[in-house]
Amino acid sequence: MSSIGRPVSPDQSNKLLVIDDQPDLCEFISEAAAGLGFESKGVTDPEAFRRAVQEFQPSVVVLDLQMPGADGIELLRYLGERGSKAQILVASGMDQRVLATAQQIGKAHGLQMLGALQKPILLADLEATLRQCLSSDTPISAAALTAALDKREIIVHYQPKATRIAPNRWIVEGVEALARWNHPSLGFVSPVRFIPLAEKNGLIRRLTEQVLETALSQCRAWDAVGLQLSVAINLSPQLLNDLAFPDQVARMAAQVGADARRIIFEVTESAAMFDPGTTMDVLTRMRVKNFGLSIDDFGTGYSSLKQLYLMPFSELKIDTSFVRDVFAHEDARTMVETMVLLAHKLRLTACAEGVESQEVLDFLDSVGCDRAQGYFIGRPMAGTALEIAVREWNSRQK
């Protein structure tokens, strides 16, 4: 059932501003936002938008790209010049390539781009996107996160990754470890909230070490029941500037007797390009110590292909935004196929994220993609649940 018509008391930290030259669409988006608990405001002209940005101070902005008077790209530039911290959602009837480019322009202006909605906008899609932006009434402090690390409240869930071992045969041989904060009073706190807090307050190395330690212990438990899985762990950009980090993780792996070749560190494309000199030093030493390295969210950053081929990655992860559109847009299919080919030409393993149906998995099979990850294969789950899910999946592939 839609939340429209069942307004929730607005949280003052959740303010949504929408600009669209169609008043009916402004009203539709505003009502959907109000139903989720946003204080919402809709405007139809650029001047009213600029005033509202200053006076209303939105936490979320829904921005139409095609308007008379000022287009959405101009308004993205305006938000960037003002140093806006709002999350930005672009909306348009234009094709996905234009929407994707608009998001990249927003990121280049330092904006937090939430994504894109293609018109006509479906209520379910709009509500699902806006729910991601809702802020909690309770602020999370660095002291609270430090206490959580002390009390081991950070737990790890695991999302399966399937490997193509033959045409139409995909076996789960690895997982991605994902941090979750099980707060005693707030329940599960999204990593979107606590990971930036850890990075800002010098806690990201400790958090990463705790996730790695937990994941390695879980791998030992899986080994004991005959389930050998590789484990992938995300690396913050800050750790790519820490020359001592490769030695630290090598010691941790040695202490538990873990095979470094079964540990993969995932680095986003943008992070890898931030300081190429130091990053290349850190990543190369990781590879010398036999850890795997995956370049995550490939295709969404402004990377130099020369730097990419010089850096010692072993896996290329194709971003969800391409994979989910392979049946909606021919360009997305072309991009995925090309990135698989690029990975293989560079002697890398190609892994596709965001696999949510058998049809998408079949397409990846047809273009020779090596690995796949997504809700169709399995959602993130606790270690014991994952053991059962992996055995069930693999038994169906025989």
Side-chain angles (χ1 to χ4, degrees), residues 69-244:
D71 59 57
I73 303 302
E74 292 177 273
L75 296 183
L76 285 173
R77 188 187 318 125
Y78 169 78
L79 291 169
E81 290 169 351
R82 288 193 56 81
S84 174
K85 301 301 181 185
Q87 297 183 75
I88 315 297
L89 179 65
V90 294
S92 176
M94 303 189 74
D95 63 46
Q96 287 288 340
R97 182 179 293 177
V98 174
L99 291 173
T101 303
Q103 291 181 75
Q104 292 297 335
I105 291 171
K107 290 177 182 177
H109 285 301
L111 299 172
Q112 298 183 59
M113 301 305 295
L114 177 63
L117 287 175
Q118 196 162 27
K119 296 181 180 179
I121 297 173
L122 300 177
L123 177 59
D125 292 342
L126 175 63
E127 289 184 332
T129 304
L130 294 182
R131 282 193 185 95
Q132 301 173 31
C133 311
L134 285 168
S135 300
S136 169
D137 288 323
T138 307
I140 302 295
S141 67
L145 181 54
T146 301
L149 291 167
D150 291 340
K151 297 174 183 176
R152 309 291 293 194
E153 291 174 0
I154 306 298
I155 64 173
V156 179
H157 281 184
Y158 305 90
Q159 185 170 29
K161 296 170 66 175
T163 300
R164 181 178 182 267
I165 61 171
N168 299 309
R169 285 193 67 200
W170 297 81
I171 299 296
V172 173
E173 297 181 330
V175 298
E176 181 177 356
L178 301 164
R180 300 289 186 264
W181 182 358
N182 189 11
H183 194 282
S185 59
L186 299 178
F188 280 100
V189 179
S190 168
V192 173
R193 295 180 66 193
F194 69 81
I195 289 179
L197 184 68
E199 292 178 327
K200 183 179 178 181
N201 292 277
L203 297 170
I204 193 63
R205 179 166 180 166
R206 187 178 173 197
L207 174 61
T208 302
E209 289 172 355
Q210 201 166 105
V211 170
L212 177 58
E213 179 184 333
T214 302
L216 291 176
S217 296
Q218 181 61 67
C219 282
R220 284 205 312 273
W222 287 329
D223 285 347
V225 295
L227 192 64
Q228 287 200 328
L229 299 171
S230 65
V231 59
I233 295 168
N234 293 286
L235 278 190
S236 164
Q238 292 182 15
L239 296 176
L240 299 179
N241 295 319
D242 185 347
L243 294 174

Side-chain angles (χ1 to χ4, degrees), residues 297-357:
D297 300 338
F298 186 75
T300 62
Y302 290 101
S303 59
S304 158
L305 287 178
K306 181 177 180 180
Q307 291 291 348
L308 277 180
Y309 93 77
L310 288 174
M311 287 191 175
F313 291 105
S314 53
E315 180 182 78
L316 182 153
K317 289 191 83 173
I318 303 168
D319 187 66
T320 301
S321 60
F322 300 104
V323 177
R324 69 186 178 202
D325 285 342
V326 293
F327 289 114
H329 300 283
E330 185 177 350
D331 289 345
R333 291 194 295 278
T334 301
M335 289 295 291
V336 170
E337 188 171 3
T338 301
M339 283 188 272
V340 170
L341 179 62
L342 174 64
H344 292 166
K345 289 291 187 180
L346 294 174
R347 297 177 298 282
L348 306 177
T349 297
C351 178
E353 297 183 280
V355 179
E356 297 187 358
S357 69

Side-chain angles (χ1 to χ4, degrees), residues 2 20 28 36 55 74 108 192 223 268 295 319 327 335 397:
S2 163
D20 195 292
F28 167 74
L36 293 172
E55 298 167 4
E74 292 177 273
V192 173
D223 285 347
T268 64
I295 183 162
D319 187 66
F327 289 114
M335 289 295 291
Q397 301 298 310

